[in-house]
């Protein structure tokens, strides 16, 4: 009887843990618990390794692990790979830290912006775009097309949000398929 109760309790606990994990978004094959900060989650994602290396090279780890709140538009590895050959290697060199920091901070907003908030703000705009600024000071715009959210940099280049609303302890991450470049 005692063994049955223990087994039943273990099965119930596993079921509860599985149900809780079902609500945790997966990015790059790794669960992204909302109790972790942006950095703690990003280092777990196989598809964000280039972004993590860039954040480390720019000495932005402490900033993105701080209280926030932040919204991060996180480019996947393929987005960095689509840049002209040698760009990432050049940016990761110590002498290019200022340029790398400018690019990375153009992906960060000092506000917790859910996809629903971004979509609502596009609907209430006169031109169909939600215009806002990144931490870098660069202008960003969001637009909804075909049910997808696109983020535009100052040059008009668009990156589509592929995974939205990855809540973090210090904000939210939206995974994107492009790199936003400041002018």
């Amino acid at each position: 009887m005692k063994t049955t109760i223990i087994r039943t309790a273990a099965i119930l606990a596993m079921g509860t843990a599985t149900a809780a994990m079902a609500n945790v978004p997966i990015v790059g094959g790794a669960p992204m618990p909302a109790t972790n900060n942006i950095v703690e989650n990003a280092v777990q994602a196989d598809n964000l390794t280039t972004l993590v290396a860039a954040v480390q090279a720019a000495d932005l780890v402490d900033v993105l692990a701080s209280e926030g709140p932040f919204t991060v538009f996180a480019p996947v590895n393929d987005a960095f790979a689509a840049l002209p050959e040698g760009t990432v290697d050049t940016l990761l060199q110590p002498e290019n830290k200022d340029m790398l920091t400018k690019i990375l901070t153009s992906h960060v907003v000092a506000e917790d912006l859910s996809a629903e908030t971004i979509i609502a703000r596009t609907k209430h705009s006169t031109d169909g775009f939600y215009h806002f600024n990144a931490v870098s000071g660069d202008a960003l715009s969001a637009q909804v097309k075909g049910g997808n959210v696109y983020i535009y940099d100052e040059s008009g280049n668009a990156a589509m949000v592929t995974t939205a609303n990855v809540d973090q302890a210090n904000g939210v991450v939206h995974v994107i398929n492009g790199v936003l470049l400041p002018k």
Side-chain angles (χ1 to χ4, degrees):
M1 176 77 166
K2 188 175 183 182
T3 306
T4 303
I5 292 171
I6 292 171
R7 274 195 208 134
T8 303
I11 290 168
L12 288 173
M14 285 178 21
T16 302
T18 302
M21 289 299 288
N23 294 328
V24 175
I26 304 294
V27 174
M32 301 283 124
T35 54
N36 288 353
N37 67 44
I38 291 165
V39 174
E40 290 169 333
N41 276 333
V43 299
Q44 302 301 317
D46 288 346
N47 63 345
L48 299 178
T49 57
T50 306
L51 176 62
V52 169
V55 166
Q56 291 169 337
D59 290 327
L60 292 173
V61 171
D62 289 341
V63 173
L64 292 177
S66 70
E67 187 175 322
F70 301 109
T71 297
V72 175
F73 298 103
V76 293
N77 294 341
D78 288 345
F80 284 102
L83 294 172
E85 188 174 334
T87 301
V88 173
D89 291 336
T90 299
L91 287 171
L92 293 176
Q93 294 174 1
E95 62 269 19
N96 296 319
K97 181 179 173 183
D98 289 344
M99 184 185 311
L100 177 61
T101 300
K102 174 84 166 155
I103 291 169
L104 292 174
T105 58
S106 73
H107 291 79
V108 180
V109 179
E111 184 179 0
D112 190 333
L113 294 171
S114 69
E116 292 76 18
T117 299
I118 293 169
I119 291 166
R121 291 180 182 177
T122 65
K123 289 180 181 177
H124 291 93
S125 71
T126 56
D127 64 357
F129 286 87
Y130 166 50
H131 303 283
F132 54 105
N133 287 317
V135 170
S136 64
D138 295 287
L140 297 175
S141 299
Q143 181 185 38
V144 180
K145 290 191 311 188
N148 294 310
V149 175
Y150 290 85
I151 307 300
Y152 293 84
D153 62 22
E154 290 182 324
S155 299
N157 300 310
M160 185 177 76
V161 174
T162 58
T163 304
N165 296 331
V166 184
D167 289 326
Q168 316 285 300
N170 59 342
V172 64
V173 169
H174 303 290
V175 179
I176 58 175
N177 69 353
V179 177
L180 305 170
L181 298 172
K183 277 191 173 180

